[in-house]
RNA sequence: GCGCUGGUAGCUCAGUUGGAUAGAGCGUUGGCCUCCGAAGCCAAAGGUCGUGGGUUCGAGUCCCGCCCAGCGCGCCA
């Protein structure tokens, strides 16, 4: 829906205190004011990682034009005004006006100690916590979950974890498809004795759904009964509701089992399905009418928002009430956004919904603004994502053309992981192996989903996601397990204050570790979990380089050994915390 | 027709919101285990960033046109 407005790097406020970028940005902002006056207080110093130093400030180049001075002059004025304190070891002006900054080792040690001391690996709570509604997963009652639900569930859960880690109040909303016309045929089929739905597995209900559907399509008498049953359901007929509840109950068991297997934080308390909003629909329409937002068009009550036209070049409506008096999904979505703002008091609403619904959700957002429900600074954003594709480049399906069941997909992942773990590490007990296989198999699937830009489609490929090379969950888990192995053998533990950064590999690793909080804040602002993946992968490869060149247990001196042990430990802490934010487990052995 | 989203190495993908020489993994080629987990590491080769203009000190990144692909566009959700 709205594009998020990410804050400039280095201007992240709290939540990133241990990252030197924050400290540097602060020092540079003061220098800008000192050098050029208070009107430059809001300028972003543009602190970036550098290949020529620890960081570089790019602000002089942009400022040169406004000040009508040569960039290098501007740079040197900034450098003169810069308070280096005990943080900055070296500053140099390079090229057209880049300011290269090298930090002192003592600063790195101090900040690493701070990271190690915090439970969240350096994460701090936002200065102004928000109430964030996240609408995700949203499976349909009486249908088995399939790959189509994977991305919403995995991405939404990762975002929920990230926002909570930053101290925001997260209101998970599982918008179940638990109401509407399809329930007419389902309930009618149930009264026909089509299935014993009481507490039975959803697999039965899946077949049950298809049977009901077939009967509905083939038998006009049945179809009419189904329509009547919808009317009874809408009217609150008690025996009909009882049947409906059995379907919902059985489905919930299925969803919960799957969420447990997948390691997703959703619970029954997060269920806010279509049925919740059903009673609100008449009053929503009444309010829209009272506000003059609703007009009769072609027999339907419609809300028109500017900027949307249909194929015929005529304005495109949101249909609040159909010709026949029934309600469609637009009505439910309007009721839901109103509820989330007025009742849940959300500041921010995230719709983790597929990209094809972009226009629809934009219209819902605009209609909510138009109705006076959605008022800044509250905002609604569409966290759109692409499709999961098969090897043929088309939406992933079984060979028979059916939807791929999510349970089967996850179980296959675990089985494949178990086979790999068995081969690579035969010494594990059965119990260890099965626990690790679960972490690796599920982790691989989730990570594959999270690690590329969510708006793009991605190709589902077992061998790639389960590979131990490249940007995969197993590679990160391996890096973590390897560090744990070192720490187990060490027979001593060293505090982060023992870290003395000396070699280039140690320095690179220290800087990488310290960037963690900034990355997490950035993920929350940009709603882009793949940036956390990219960061963790870079962290793991940086550790590997350190591991190759810098002996830990066999370090030259006891001081160096303790320093490297502590640096390894804090790296492990960040890796595990980062994976946890993605909803992925990090076993200590694999 | 209109709109949205994509197009970066043979393949799969990054690219920090306009900065210095566009980076990874796979695959290919060549190295590294008497040494903390080789499930790893190092190196080489591989690019008109779909295309043509524009903006400026500087464009994969911003603007316009075009090409290709996917998706959406009135009572399904």
């Amino acid at each position: 829906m709205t594009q998020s407005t990410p804050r400039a790097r280095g201007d992240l406020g709290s939540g990133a205190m241990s990252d030197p970028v924050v400290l540097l940005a602060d020092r540079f902002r003061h220098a800008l004011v000192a050098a050029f006056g208070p009107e430059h207080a809001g300028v972003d110093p543009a602190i970036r990682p550098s290949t020529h130093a620890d960081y570089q400030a790019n602000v002089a180049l942009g400022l040169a034009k406004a000040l009508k001075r040569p960039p290098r002059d501007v740079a040197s004025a900034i450098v003169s005004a810069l308070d280096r304190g005990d943080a900055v070891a070296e500053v140099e002006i390079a090229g057209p006006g880049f300011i290269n900054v090298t930090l002192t080792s003592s600063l790195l040690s101090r900040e690493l100690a701070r990271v190690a001391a915090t439970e969240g690996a350096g994460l701090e709570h936002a200065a102004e916590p928000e109430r964030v509604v996240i609408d995700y997963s949203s499976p349909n009652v009486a249908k088995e979950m399939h790959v189509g639900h994977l991305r919403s569930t995995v991405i939404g859960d990762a975002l929920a974890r990230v926002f909570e880690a930053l101290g925001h109040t997260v209101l998970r909303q599982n918008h179940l498809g638990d109401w509407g016309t399809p329930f007419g045929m389902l309930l009618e089929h149930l009264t026909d004795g089509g299935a014993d739905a009481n507490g039975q597995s959803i697999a039965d209900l899946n077949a049950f759904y298809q049977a009901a559907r077939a009967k509905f399509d083939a038998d006009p008498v049945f179809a009419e009964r189904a329509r009547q049953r919808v009317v009874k359901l809408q009217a609150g007929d008690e025996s009909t509701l009882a049947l409906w509840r059995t379907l919902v109950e059985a489905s919930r068991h299925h969803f919960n089992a799957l969420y447990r297997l997948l390691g997703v934080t959703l619970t029954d308390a997060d269920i806010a399905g279509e049925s919740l909003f059903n009673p609100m629909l008449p009053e929503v329409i009444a309010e829209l009418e009272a506000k003059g937002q609703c007009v009769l068009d072609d027999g339907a009550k419609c809300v028109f928002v500017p900027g949307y036209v249909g194929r015929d070049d005529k304005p495109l409506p949101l249909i609040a009430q159909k010709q026949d008096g029934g309600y469609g999904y637009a009505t439910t979505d309007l009721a839901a956004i109103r509820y989330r703002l007025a009742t849940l008091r959300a500041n921010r609403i995230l719709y983790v919904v597929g990209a094809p619904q972009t226009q629809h959700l934009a219209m819902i957002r605009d209609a909510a603004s138009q109705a006076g429900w959605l008022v800044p600074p509250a905002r609604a954003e569409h966290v759109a994502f692409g499709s999961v594709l098969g090897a043929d480049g088309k939406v992933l399906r079984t060979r028979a053309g059916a939807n791929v069941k999510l349970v089967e997909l996850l179980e296959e992942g675990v089985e494949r992981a178990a086979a790999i773990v068995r081969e690579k590490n035969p010494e594990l007990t059965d119990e260890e192996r099965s626990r690790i296989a679960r972490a690796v198999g599920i982790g691989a699937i989730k990570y594959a989903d999270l690690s590329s830009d969510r708006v793009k489609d991605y190709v589902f490929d077992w061998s790639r996601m389960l590979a131990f090379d490249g940007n995969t969950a197993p590679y990160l888990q391996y890096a973590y397990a390897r560090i744990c192995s070192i720490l187990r053998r060490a027979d001593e533990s060293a505090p982060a204050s023992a870290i003395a950064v000396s070699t280039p590999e140690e320095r690179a690793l220290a800087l990488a570790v310290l960037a963690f909080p900034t990355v997490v804040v950035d993920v929350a602002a940009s709603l882009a979990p793949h940036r956390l993946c990219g960061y963790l992968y870079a962290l793991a490869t940086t550790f590997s380089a350190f591991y190759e060149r810098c002996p830990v247990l066999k370090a030259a001196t006891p001081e160096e050994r303790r320093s490297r042990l502590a640096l390894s430990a804090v790296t492990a802490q960040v890796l595990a915390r980062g994976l946890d934010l993605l909803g992925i487990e990090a076993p200590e052995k694999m």
Side-chain angles (χ1 to χ4, degrees), chain A residues 250-501:
Chain A
S251 302
R252 246 177 28 201
H253 284 305
H254 164 72
F255 302 149
N256 286 336
L258 205 139
Y259 292 150
R260 271 198 302 278
L261 176 59
L262 194 51
V264 159
T265 57
L266 287 167
T267 68
D268 285 352
D270 305 314
I271 291 176
E274 292 170 347
S275 63
L276 172 70
F277 303 109
N278 184 59
M280 308 174 192
L281 303 183
E283 63 189 82
V284 168
I285 289 169
E287 185 182 337
L288 289 169
E289 285 180 319
K291 288 180 169 174
Q293 300 284 321
C294 213
V295 299
L296 207 58
D297 191 283
D298 225 359
K301 289 181 182 173
C302 298
V303 177
F304 287 94
V305 289
Y308 302 92
V309 292
R311 211 187 295 274
D312 52 8
D313 250 21
K314 293 197 319 200
L316 194 65
L318 274 173
I319 294 173
Q321 191 166 19
K322 299 188 285 187
Q323 284 175 333
D324 65 3
Y327 306 111
Y329 72 127
T331 325
T332 309
D333 283 340
L334 286 168
I337 196 169
R338 177 173 168 270
Y339 168 82
R340 290 163 183 179
L341 290 160
T343 306
L344 298 181
R345 295 181 291 116
N347 305 105
R348 194 171 181 185
I349 305 173
L350 307 180
Y351 291 85
V352 188
V353 174
Q357 296 208 45
T358 301
Q359 181 177 261
H360 167 70
L361 289 172
M363 291 177 76
I364 294 291
R365 177 203 59 206
D366 291 353
S369 298
Q370 200 170 267
W373 300 334
L374 179 62
V375 180
R379 59 234 191 260
E381 294 158 275
H382 180 199
V383 184
F385 54 83
S387 307
V388 181
L389 307 180
D392 58 359
K394 295 180 185 167
V395 173
L396 186 65
R397 295 198 188 284
T398 63
R399 275 187 292 275
N403 287 327
V404 176
K405 293 178 182 178
L406 201 42
V407 194
E408 291 178 1
L409 194 80
L410 299 180
E411 283 172 352
E412 183 173 353
V414 174
E415 281 165 25
R416 285 172 178 266
I420 295 168
V421 172
R422 187 188 301 272
E423 182 203 335
K424 304 282 189 185
N425 194 349
E427 283 135 44
L428 295 168
T429 66
D430 286 354
E431 195 203 326
E432 281 176 324
R433 185 171 54 244
S434 73
R435 203 179 64 245
I436 291 164
R438 203 192 95 120
V440 172
I442 300 294
I445 293 170
K446 292 173 92 171
Y447 194 86
D449 199 286
L450 291 165
S451 59
S452 64
D453 188 349
R454 44 157 238 269
V455 81
K456 296 194 198 174
D457 297 345
Y458 76 91
V459 177
F460 193 93
D461 180 340
W462 287 118
S463 64
R464 193 149 23 87
M465 69 179 73
L466 282 165
F468 290 81
D469 303 303
N471 190 10
T472 66
Y475 177 85
L476 297 179
Q477 289 166 325
Y478 173 65
Y480 178 75
R482 213 159 48 155
I483 299 174
C484 289
S485 172
I486 294 173
L487 298 176
R488 268 197 307 272
R489 288 166 181 270
D491 292 326
E492 68 169 323
S493 65
S497 57
I499 298 172
V501 174

Side-chain angles (χ1 to χ4, degrees), chain A residues 201-219:
Chain A
S201 80
I202 194 71
D204 295 335
L205 284 174
N206 219 23
F208 172 78
Y209 182 94
Q210 285 159 11
R213 177 86 227 175
K215 228 188 319 185
F216 184 87
D217 290 338
D219 181 353

